[in-house]
Amino acid sequence: MNLINKENLEVWFVTGSQHLYGEEALRQVAKNSQKLVEGLNARANFPVSVTFKPVQTTTETVRDVCLDANHHKGCIGIITWCHTFSPSKMWITGLKQLNKPVLHLHTQFNRDLPWGEIDMDFMNLNQAAHGDREHGFIHSRLRRNRKVVVGHWEDSEVHERIDAWMRAALAWADWQGGKYARFGDNMRFVAVTEGDKVSAEARFGYSVNGYGVGDLVSKVHEVSDAEVDSLVSEYGDQYELMDSLRPGGAQHEALRVGARQELGMRAFLVEGGFQGFTTTFENLYGLTQLPGLAVQRLMADGYGFGAEGDWKTAALVRAMKVMDEGLDGHTSFMEDYTYHMHPGKHQVLGAHMLEICPSIARGTPRVEIHPLGIGGKADPVRMVFDSVTGPGLNATLVDMGNRYRMIVNTCDVVEPEAPLPKLPVARALWETKPDFKTALAAWIYAGGAHHTGFSLTVSAEMLEDFADIAGIEYLPIDETTNLRLFKKELQLNEVVYGNHLGY
Ligand code: MN
């Protein structure tokens, strides 16, 4: 896997208070906060640990902890909480400079009111009820995006909300300084896969650069026969091979070409420190097949991928791969391909020419070879499989010319009603929320792309948190979507983002 090493990553837990209630109260606040942090780490199965930071009581120390967070590479975000009434003017200087994601946890140390025992000491100690309102105001007043999570810190729902945000923060950290390689430009004349790479780097933190296909081809040529032998035998162990692709089969050489492509591409990506890449069937000079199996396997290892030069989707797929890591992730590049428009049962069949990630496969993928009608190259090898089923979503990121827009449509991934024996590609079948006609009209009104990040693991909540961290427009299409309100939201967002400078 090429995903980020989470061992040295952490979220900082910063408690706000003040000196009004005396040193004894502050000692208790620190003790309780520490216990709360220990409780979160012990009870919730978070992807990174939560680190206790000293209780904040002055403008200067709040500023210092915010600046420390900025400089600390391992800190992917901070959780704030005001145990007592914490005057939050003292947070202005720090928050104005903080550049890490924030989650404001609105909780209370004591779960239940001690009815028979409650006195003014209890009241003064446990007053997040108004301390966190003050704290919320300062974030709102400074127009700072943050996630607000409400509930007792031992509540598993609270842990789920924090977990989703942590995964978004991890993906955000991965995008900062991330590198994406493009082999060939966009598919000619296609609009939605275009975009402003300078704005993307300014807004999202990752860079996208083009590389000569010839440079990739020379990496492919450098691969030794012994390396190919070993990878081909790995294919034989992991997948079911079509007879003609097996050793001695008529098309075995094509499988070796696929293995050589994988090894060459992998070497190129590893040496360049890339997190994702794009290919295009219109620019394969020197490659004998459109890379199918190679791309599928690289995606399974965590690389972001976009076909036809679609770098925005490559970066999005990568972000989603980071979010779902450790969760038995089922996430792939996807394309809305064709429809089942049977009355009362409208479905979308998603696939691509070749490049669907086997992390969504149900059962053992079958490696097959078939002709490809476009690209004018030799028949490519690819994995063929059906998707696992269950709740899922499609996400797209489009460039609106003055801003980026993320659209997320939830769906149910379902079993095809009959086998598809003649379809030579991996595929998924789904039913969109709230229903086919509303979802597709909303998607098309919003300008959503035909390429998506598709997942049965990443939640809409993670993507919403991610969009908020990135500060971009977020449009969910789900069971609550009403088309008239959705159209109005699109119109209103033109005003909201109309004066937005530089994306
Ligand atoms: Mn495509």
Side-chain angles (χ1 to χ4, degrees):
M1 295 297 275
N2 80 327
L3 292 174
I4 50 178
N5 178 6
K6 293 201 278 274
E7 262 170 41
N8 300 319
L9 301 182
E10 58 189 5
V11 163
W12 289 4
F13 192 94
V14 184
T15 309
S17 189
Q18 61 165 321
H19 287 281
L20 185 67
Y21 313 106
E23 290 309 305
E24 179 52 37
L26 279 177
R27 270 193 294 275
Q28 195 59 45
V29 166
K31 219 193 261 178
N32 291 352
S33 292
Q34 252 165 317
K35 204 169 162 200
L36 188 155
V37 168
E38 282 162 19
L40 287 178
N41 284 325
R43 286 156 186 265
N45 193 21
F46 291 141
V48 297
S49 59
V50 184
T51 304
F52 172 80
K53 289 286 160 184
V55 175
Q56 300 302 313
T57 54
T58 69
T59 302
E60 291 71 25
T61 61
V62 172
R63 179 201 59 204
D64 289 350
V65 79
C66 289
L67 293 179
D68 285 352
N70 287 351
H71 293 148
H72 197 283
K73 280 192 182 145
C75 173
I76 62 162
I78 71 169
I79 298 176
T80 63
W81 170 51
C82 293
H83 190 318
T84 61
F85 186 71
S86 172
S88 282
K89 257 174 79 180
M90 69 172 72
W91 287 72
I92 293 174
T93 310
L95 288 180
K96 273 182 69 184
Q97 296 178 80
L98 181 67
N99 62 22
K100 295 285 168 88
V102 175
L103 182 146
H104 179 188
L105 177 60
H106 183 44
T107 191
Q108 177 169 287
F109 186 72
N110 264 64
R111 193 190 65 185
D112 299 342
L113 280 180
W115 305 104
E117 307 296 323
I118 190 165
D119 56 12
M120 282 316 289
D121 284 345
F122 181 94
M123 297 281 275
N124 286 335
L125 192 66
N126 292 281
Q127 52 180 328
H130 60 288
D132 274 334
R133 280 171 166 74
E134 160 77 356
H135 197 59
F137 169 75
I138 209 62
H139 285 269
S140 295
R141 179 66 178 76
L142 296 175
R143 272 73 174 174
R144 278 196 60 101
N145 282 359
R146 75 286 190 190
K147 182 173 193 175
V148 177
V149 175
V150 180
H152 191 255
W153 53 279
E154 291 173 312
D155 178 349
S156 62
E157 274 179 20
V158 165
H159 302 162
E160 285 168 26
R161 303 286 80 72
I162 298 173
D163 182 85
W165 171 82
M166 278 186 181
R167 291 176 181 282
L170 274 169
W172 182 250
D174 184 68
W175 267 16
Q176 306 316 301
K179 292 164 75 180
Y180 291 82
R182 306 181 75 219
F183 301 115
D185 203 339
N186 278 46
M187 180 178 169
R188 289 187 277 272
F189 304 109
V190 175
V192 76
T193 52
E194 289 286 356
D196 182 338
K197 298 193 284 292
V198 173
S199 300
E201 188 162 350
R203 166 65 54 183
F204 298 133
Y206 63 74
S207 64
V208 181
N209 287 293
Y211 293 85
V213 179
D215 293 331
L216 175 60
V217 169
S218 42
K219 277 273 167 263
V220 170
H221 287 160
E222 281 170 26
V223 173
S224 72
D225 288 343
E227 290 174 283
V228 172
D229 292 344
S230 141
L231 188 55
V232 164
S233 106
E234 193 183 318
Y235 292 166
D237 294 341
Q238 286 190 25
Y239 314 118
E240 188 191 325
L241 303 183
M242 199 177 186
D243 282 343
S244 65
L245 292 176
R246 292 177 199 274
Q251 289 168 298
H252 181 65
E253 191 49 37
L255 185 66
R256 295 183 62 83
V257 169
R260 196 173 289 280
Q261 282 186 342
E262 178 185 334
L263 291 159
M265 291 183 99
R266 194 181 290 276
F268 190 102
L269 296 170
V270 169
E271 281 170 32
F274 295 105
Q275 280 75 40
F277 64 104
T278 67
T279 59
T280 175
F281 66 92
E282 287 174 336
N283 191 347
L284 296 172
Y285 193 83
L287 289 172
T288 51
Q289 306 173 4
L290 173 65
L293 180 60
V295 170
Q296 291 179 296
R297 284 177 47 90
L298 287 163
M299 242 192 294
D301 281 347
Y303 284 100
F305 173 76
E308 292 105 39
D310 189 349
W311 53 270
K312 295 193 301 296
T313 304
L316 179 61
V317 168
R318 164 67 180 194
M320 293 167 73
K321 292 267 179 197
V322 173
M323 290 178 205
D324 83 11
E325 204 199 4
L327 294 178
D328 193 20
H330 306 295
T331 296
S332 179
F333 171 72
M334 188 56 75
E335 183 166 87
D336 302 84
Y337 224 111
T338 193
Y339 293 141
H340 183 55
M341 285 187 157
H342 190 84
K345 194 183 182 185
H346 285 61
Q347 297 173 323
V348 182
L349 181 64
H352 205 259
M353 288 184 294
L354 307 171
E355 311 93 332
I356 298 297
C357 179
S359 68
I360 69 166
R362 180 158 45 85
T364 305
R366 187 174 151 80
V367 180
E368 301 186 7
I369 183 165
H370 302 278
L372 185 67
I374 54 176
K377 293 285 177 176
D379 299 352
V381 287
R382 82 290 303 269
M383 279 182 249
V384 179
F385 50 82
D386 286 300
S387 171
V388 290
T389 57
L393 55 77
N394 276 288
T396 178
L397 191 59
V398 296
D399 183 339
M400 295 299 290
N402 66 339
R403 65 185 185 275
Y404 288 99
R405 162 180 285 171
M406 182 184 283
I407 308 157
V408 174
N409 185 201
T410 49
C411 65
D412 282 321
V413 186
V414 297
E415 191 88 24
E417 64 184 41
L420 304 100
K422 292 188 174 171
L423 187 65
V425 291
R427 61 277 181 147
L429 186 74
W430 62 83
E431 295 174 356
T432 57
K433 306 247 183 203
D435 59 76
F436 182 88
K437 290 174 183 171
T438 306
L440 273 295
W443 188 275
I444 285 168
Y445 276 124
H450 56 291
H451 285 168
T452 63
F454 169 80
S455 183
L456 291 95
T457 316
V458 172
S459 65
E461 181 181 12
M462 293 177 205
L463 290 164
E464 180 173 354
D465 290 351
F466 189 73
D468 283 345
I469 291 170
I472 61 167
E473 183 184 7
Y474 177 76
L475 294 168
I477 303 170
D478 57 22
E479 58 286 332
T480 69
T481 296
N482 167 301
L483 197 53
R484 191 173 300 141
L485 294 176
F486 188 83
K487 286 169 74 178
K488 184 57 73 183
E489 186 179 359
L490 292 177
Q491 287 178 323
L492 291 174
N493 282 0
E494 287 305 319
V495 181
V496 170
Y497 292 92
N499 295 318
H500 216 251
L501 294 174
Y503 292 70

